[in-house]
Amino acid sequence: MSKPYSVRVTVRGYETDVQGHLNQAVYLNYAEHARWSLLQEAGITQSRLQAHGVGPVALETTIRYKRELLAGDEVDVTCVFEWGGGKTFTIRQTITKTDGTLSAEISAVGGLLDLEKRKLVPDPRDVFRELTKDTTLFGLDGDA
């Protein structure tokens, strides 16, 4: 498993609900922000993905809420890719306050869609290896 990629986010007041804590849907936005930040760091833009004829797709997402977040809280959102065989991969993510308090755990199953065939590519690792400038961000260093 690779070292988690991490991005810092500050909870904004307009993202909170009537209870004063972060709205449940915003956790997904934070997770998505971290994933796209990782892709950008790896040199993979939306236009590069489209030019390659692929696009990332979410197939399943699970969120475990651990501790509430309030406006002004700073959090680190991590991403770690886990690879099995086949067409899908799992991205494990955490949202942790800067004091170390775990706020949420997110697990997302994804794949890469062939935009012409409208089917998942057989092995997304091959595409990420081809497109990235840093395979370690995807946990692909030393992976054959």
Side-chain angles (χ1 to χ4, degrees), residues 82-90 110 121-125:
E82 294 179 358
W83 302 95
K87 300 176 182 182
T88 64
F89 49 86
T90 300
V121 299
D123 190 344
R125 292 176 297 185

Side-chain angles (χ1 to χ4, degrees), residues 30-43:
Y30 287 5
E32 186 79 359
H33 172 66
R35 291 191 298 264
W36 278 104
S37 294
L38 181 151
L39 288 173
Q40 183 175 0
E41 174 117 351

Side-chain angles (χ1 to χ4, degrees), residues 75-94:
V75 296
D76 294 312
V77 186
T78 64
C79 295
V80 175
F81 277 71
E82 294 179 358
W83 302 95
K87 300 176 182 182
T88 64
F89 49 86
T90 300
I91 303 173
R92 304 260 180 225
Q93 298 183 263
T94 60

Side-chain angles (χ1 to χ4, degrees), residues 1-68:
M1 186 184 319
S2 64
K3 180 183 176 216
Y5 174 84
S6 183
V7 63
R8 183 154 292 171
V9 176
T10 300
V11 176
R12 294 162 291 253
Y14 62 83
E15 296 172 324
T16 60
D17 59 21
V18 71
Q19 286 87 264
H21 59 239
L22 187 65
N23 178 277
Q24 52 90 22
V26 180
Y27 285 82
L28 289 173
N29 290 337
Y30 287 5
E32 186 79 359
H33 172 66
R35 291 191 298 264
W36 278 104
S37 294
L38 181 151
L39 288 173
Q40 183 175 0
E41 174 117 351
I44 301 174
T45 61
Q46 285 181 324
S47 59
R48 277 193 79 203
L49 287 164
Q50 289 174 339
H52 198 77
V54 298
V57 292
L59 302 169
E60 174 184 313
T61 303
T62 302
I63 303 173
R64 284 203 164 99
Y65 303 98
K66 299 293 192 174
R67 294 284 185 270
E68 69 180 349

Side-chain angles (χ1 to χ4, degrees), residues 115-141:
L115 298 176
E116 184 178 318
K117 296 178 183 173
R118 308 308 288 179
K119 294 185 182 220
L120 294 178
V121 299
D123 190 344
R125 292 176 297 185
D126 293 339
V127 177
F128 283 123
R129 279 191 199 99
E130 186 175 331
L131 293 177
T132 189
K133 61 182 181 184
D134 186 357
T135 57
T136 62
L137 289 169
F138 298 96
L140 294 172
D141 48 316

